[in-house]
Amino acid sequence: MSDVDATAPATQHSQHSPATRCGLVAVVGAPNAGKSTLVNALVGQKVAIVSPKAQTTRARLMGVALEGETQLLLVDTPGIFEPRRRFDRAMVAAAWGGAEGADVIALVVDGKGGLGPKVTEIVESLKDRREPIYLVLNKVDLADKPKLLVHAEKLNALLPFAETFFISAQTGDGLPQFKQALAAAMPAGPWHYPADQVSDASERALAAEVTREQLYLQLHAELPYASVVETEKFSEREDGSAEIHQQILVERVTQRAIVLGKGGTRIREIGARARAELAVLLDRPVHLYLHVKVKPGWDEDRGVYRDIGLDWVE
């Protein structure tokens, strides 16, 4: 993965045939609806981090998927929720910003969890949008089937969706049909990215996300949202391996102790798992160095927002 100007035509498929299509799909929804899992499934490999925690996705990230002669630019957005602090407002702004200019908006709803006020509020917010909006009821492998139909009827009564899909991003149920429908809805045009590129994320950003995922997976409820990972240095050694130095920022000394673990066991485990995954994703050996720093009020630092791809909001 590398930095690419999304506005520049790709070297491949820039001379497109009439069959070539390319378009933007904004994937929106409440936290924990399965948006990142869906984007990964459509791309065919991992481009967005996933954890059981709500609001895992913080900034807008684009996955690039292919379906025949169509390139789908899938914008994975943070979950939309009621913001309580500046960092929350920035994530929600990123979610709605990711929907700007979309050819299709895909509203992902947890079919197992029911509707609830969060989902209905998002539907209300979508009523004035001019883009085609697809309703995607996810997790059908876990949901009660009769309830799924009731959910679909209720949501379509609130907003007549252009299409309704029943899928499981985890098992792949209904995914081929959904992907084909997205491809058919995209406008004719050249591809924006080379055929082998799966994300617009830089390697620096990818490295930070992989480490943050391990923080979530290994610390669970012990470290809510009081941490952020910054990639301070990313370089290539003479032997072709990657050397990565990262800083994990936390708000309090007690949180630093949680991340480190007894005798440093936790931070070593986080580093080992992140390093192993990065070696696969980057397709080369990785040397990963982690440092934990206490920085009270890091969520009021404009530089942190810039580093993780969020806009500063007042």
Side-chain angles (χ1 to χ4, degrees), residues 55 58 78 81-95 225 251 297-306 308-314:
Q55 300 160 32
R58 284 180 168 175
F81 57 99
E82 187 63 39
R84 297 181 180 177
R85 52 182 183 149
R86 188 191 305 277
F87 197 67
D88 296 342
R89 295 198 301 276
M91 286 196 288
V92 172
Y225 299 99
E251 293 178 323
W298 62 259
D299 58 342
E300 291 293 324
D301 184 335
R302 286 176 183 264
V304 170
Y305 284 69
R306 182 181 61 250
I308 63 178
L310 285 175
D311 291 331
W312 179 265
V313 295
E314 296 299 338

Side-chain angles (χ1 to χ4, degrees), residues 80-120:
I80 298 169
F81 57 99
E82 187 63 39
R84 297 181 180 177
R85 52 182 183 149
R86 188 191 305 277
F87 197 67
D88 296 342
R89 295 198 301 276
M91 286 196 288
V92 172
W96 287 120
E100 290 300 320
D103 295 289
V104 168
I105 295 175
L107 171 62
V108 183
V109 175
D110 180 351
K112 178 178 68 74
L115 304 185
K118 289 181 181 177
V119 175
T120 53

Side-chain angles (χ1 to χ4, degrees), residues 4-11 191-193:
V4 170
D5 179 1
T7 61
T11 54
W191 291 3
H192 282 221
Y193 293 91

Side-chain angles (χ1 to χ4, degrees), residues 11-23:
T11 54
Q12 304 176 47
H13 287 263
S14 55
Q15 299 300 316
H16 67 284
S17 70
T20 307
R21 296 172 176 270
C22 184

